[in-house]
Amino acid sequence: MKVIIPVAGVGTRLRPHTYSTPKPLLYVAGKPVLDHVLEPIVKLEPKEIIFVVGYLGDQIKEYVENNFSFKARFVHQKELLGLGFAVDLALREVNSGPVMVVLGDTIVKCDLKQFVNSGDYVLGLMPVDDPKRFGIAEIRDNRVVSLVEKPENPRSNLAIIGLYYFNDALNLKEALRILVKSGKKTRGEIQLTDAMEAMIMDGVAFAPFEVDQWLDCGKKETLLDTNRRLLHETGNSPRIEGSLVVPPVYIDPNAKITNSVIGPYVSIAKDTKIDNSIIKSSIIGENTSIENTVLDNSLVGDAVTIRGDKKSLNISGASEVDFT
Ligand code: G1P
């Protein structure tokens, strides 16, 4: 099986952090989002993982090459014309055979082996409260009968979560080629959802697969919420003399914490220094320095300096805040 991971997007809803760091490399619960996505995929031992890169793509390439040993290929997407366009580019590197597509910010909790064994074509789904924001599937007799991208009048609340399996890439390749050539767009983009809807019209049966948990990393609030949920599994909660650590937290072994209260729900990346501070429900990037500060519900990037006293921040790379 080959895996395609589209990671070309700009991540506008996570600015200012995504001005300097691509969304898949943002830190959550002790590691980048991409690690959480890749670790279960790597266990399936795919033949190759094809990344569709664009915005800040060099950072993603470098990160994958330095931290993972699977066979990786990087396809460059110059024009951000939609998910269907991205997958079409990647499929030019694939002749036939099984393909799984996973969005680069889709952290899901499910048995991926069971997912790919659930049918020839499988679609990851999850009920949502706001179906107008997603691709929506209509199910009948345990079969997907229609797919609509961000419908005005949703026929169900089952959202496409960004996890797709195709036992043979050929059908999808063909559906996408036709779609790209026709130039048909929905909401201004060439949609993977539209290509799959065309496959369904041609008689392809997608099996619905409801995942246990889908952890969104798309904006500050959801990234912090994902941090809270994942830390129960990935936290390390070390003892630090002179400081109080309230689990769950992840504190990198190369972070230096003195005279502080950390947690619950805090991730601190490497080479960061925290002194005389109280931090809860926050993500703190690497090589950052925080002193005499109270932080709650904050997203702080890499190489930031904060001195003084304030409660909530959303601040990215190489900034300096001095409240004193
Ligand atoms: C994409 C897909 C959509 C899916 C969503 C999941 O939309 O097109 O079908 O529901 O991902 O996050 P996007 O979020 O890129 O607009």
Side-chain angles (χ1 to χ4, degrees), residues 152-187:
E152 270 307 309
N153 301 302
R155 290 203 200 147
S156 90
N157 66 344
L158 279 178
I160 298 174
I161 57 150
L163 183 62
Y164 317 77
Y165 177 71
F166 307 85
N167 182 41
D168 194 334
L170 276 179
N171 284 346
L172 177 65
K173 264 177 94 120
E174 201 182 301
L176 277 170
R177 282 282 72 215
I178 294 170
L179 189 68
V180 172
K181 269 201 187 135
S182 76
K184 179 182 175 257
K185 291 182 181 164
T186 302
R187 298 179 155 263

Side-chain angles (χ1 to χ4, degrees), residues 7-24 26 55-56 80 105 133 150 189 216-223 299 314 316:
V7 281
V10 176
T12 30
R13 288 181 304 151
L14 267 164
R15 284 176 179 162
H17 303 277
T18 45
Y19 282 126
S20 49
T21 306
K23 188 162 70 164
L26 292 178
Y55 179 71
L56 301 179
L80 297 181
D105 57 356
R133 272 189 51 212
K150 304 190 180 86
E189 293 189 345
D216 188 12
C217 298
K219 47 185 185 172
K220 180 193 162 194
E221 294 71 27
T222 60
L223 194 66
L299 209 50
N314 184 20
S316 70

Side-chain angles (χ1 to χ4, degrees), residues 177-206:
R177 282 282 72 215
I178 294 170
L179 189 68
V180 172
K181 269 201 187 135
S182 76
K184 179 182 175 257
K185 291 182 181 164
T186 302
R187 298 179 155 263
E189 293 189 345
I190 294 169
Q191 303 285 357
L192 180 58
T193 305
D194 288 343
M196 293 191 303
E197 170 66 5
M199 290 169 71
I200 292 170
M201 292 294 129
D202 268 356
V204 170
F206 280 90

